[in-house]
Structure formats: C-alpha cells, structure tokens
Amino acid sequence: MVTAGLATFVTVGSVLSERSETAEVVVLLSDGAPGSSLASLPVQPVSVAANAPFLDLMLRPDDVVPGFVLEHEVAAGRPLLRDDLVAAEAPGLSRTVAIELEAVSILGLGLSVGDRVDVIGVDEQQAAVFVLSDVRVARLPQGGGAEGLLGGPSVSFVTLEVDDDQALALMDARQRGPVELLRSTGAPRLPDRSSRASNPVIGADDMEEAS
C-alpha cells in the first residue's frame, strides 16, 4: 500500500510544491541495487507539500550522510525511505533469492514487501523442517494483487533477502524437495520432528488410561 502511495506521490507530489509550505525529499533517479552506497546513488531533492502523505517516512536531504547503503532493491523515480537504508557494515545485504510458489499460495499469504516469512522444506528423511526463519520479503510478482495473481500463470516467484549461510541452506533444501512459505509471527520454532517423536504429546485417552 505504501509503495502504491509513493508511486502516486511521485507523479503528483511535485505539483503540490507551489503551496506555501513545502518540504524537500530525496528521489532516486535510477534503479538502486541492494548494497549500493547512498553516496554513489544518483539522487535529486524534490520539493513537495508539507502535508504530503508518507512524508514522515521519507529521506530528507539533510539525512544523506556517508556510511549507509540500500538494504534492498529500490526502483527509480520514487522517494527514498529511511527504512531503505542500513549501515554499510550490516550483514546480509548482498543476496536475494527467488522462491517458486503456486500463485494461489502467494495470494493466500497476503504478503507485502517488507513482511517476514519462514521457509519450510524437508530433510534427508523427507520429514518437514524449518529451513529459514524470519527472512524479509524483498519483491513480489508484478501485478501481485488478487486479480494479477489469479489471472496470471499458476506458478510465480517471491524474492527473499538472505545472507550467505541462508542462501546455501535454501539451496540444499530445494535440492531435496519443494519448499513452502509461512508468514512469520515471531513465535518460537517447533522442535525437530525427531525431538517430538521421542517426547510425544500426551492426549486425553492417555490421561484416562493412566488414571
């Protein structure tokens, strides 16, 4: 929703600059790749109305300081957000990976860019296991709304941000079998199946038998 609002903002926001109260925001002039230095990006300050939507999320010219890089891909023509940037020494900036999923699964999750997800796959014994936890959604299918996904191909892709170890773990999992996404809620991970098998949950029938 914010991305769509920003697109509208870019096309009409500069027109509003003739109002008496304005503010300047930083607009990216070309596509920015993850890990790109803020100092090296082609940007331009744009004057907009001081009451423009999402203004409090946007980067101002005074905020452009050395030592920050893009955390994820940013398309040309939209204002930079403060959340687009991280310190250059922050880990895990240089990798994105696309997960192939049924379009109906993507639609059912109701994902937006920036959401956190878990990845489930199978181990060597084909038992379901968590492969990755709490990774960020970097990109969704073009036209990723309900109409776009339902009317398009049955298979589509979700792009995730990963570090080196996560990328390798995901590659191993995909070689063993298909993977699925879960929306991450921050809940603690379940123990492995082997642990649950050795510590079975006691059901109501077991309680009655024990008594």
Side-chain angles (χ1 to χ4, degrees), residues 33-41 65-72 74 80-91 93-94:
S36 298
S37 168
L38 178 59
S40 66
L41 291 171
V65 295
F68 284 85
V69 298
L70 290 182
E71 185 180 12
H72 46 258
V74 178
L80 283 171
L81 305 180
R82 292 185 174 90
D83 288 347
D84 290 333
L85 304 172
V86 293
E89 64 272 13
L93 299 174
S94 59

Side-chain angles (χ1 to χ4, degrees), residues 1-163:
M1 181 179 68
V2 172
T3 302
L6 288 174
T8 303
F9 174 85
V10 172
T11 58
V12 305
S14 59
V15 177
L16 302 177
S17 62
E18 61 190 31
R19 296 182 179 180
S20 57
E21 294 187 11
T22 63
E24 283 195 334
V25 299
V26 177
V27 173
L28 192 62
L29 298 181
S30 63
D31 291 345
S36 298
S37 168
L38 178 59
S40 66
L41 291 171
V43 297
Q44 177 179 326
V46 173
S47 295
V48 298
N51 62 350
F54 312 116
L55 186 60
D56 58 331
L57 304 179
M58 298 178 194
L59 198 72
R60 306 296 184 87
D62 290 343
D63 298 327
V64 180
V65 295
F68 284 85
V69 298
L70 290 182
E71 185 180 12
H72 46 258
E73 184 174 346
V74 178
R78 83 154 170 84
L80 283 171
L81 305 180
R82 292 185 174 90
D83 288 347
D84 290 333
L85 304 172
V86 293
E89 64 272 13
L93 299 174
S94 59
R95 302 287 185 266
T96 58
V97 62
I99 302 292
E100 181 177 319
L101 294 172
E102 292 291 331
V104 68
S105 296
I106 301 174
L107 178 62
L109 287 170
L111 294 174
S112 299
V113 172
D115 284 347
R116 316 294 294 194
V117 294
D118 304 326
V119 181
I120 286 184
V122 295
D123 61 15
E124 290 79 1
Q125 287 73 45
Q126 296 298 297
V129 293
F130 282 92
V131 178
L132 303 178
S133 294
D134 196 38
V135 293
R136 185 180 185 279
V137 175
R139 183 188 299 172
L140 291 168
Q142 295 292 327
E147 294 182 2
L149 283 174
L150 290 178
S154 61
V155 175
S156 196
F157 294 87
V158 173
T159 303
L160 306 178
E161 291 178 2
V162 295
D163 61 26

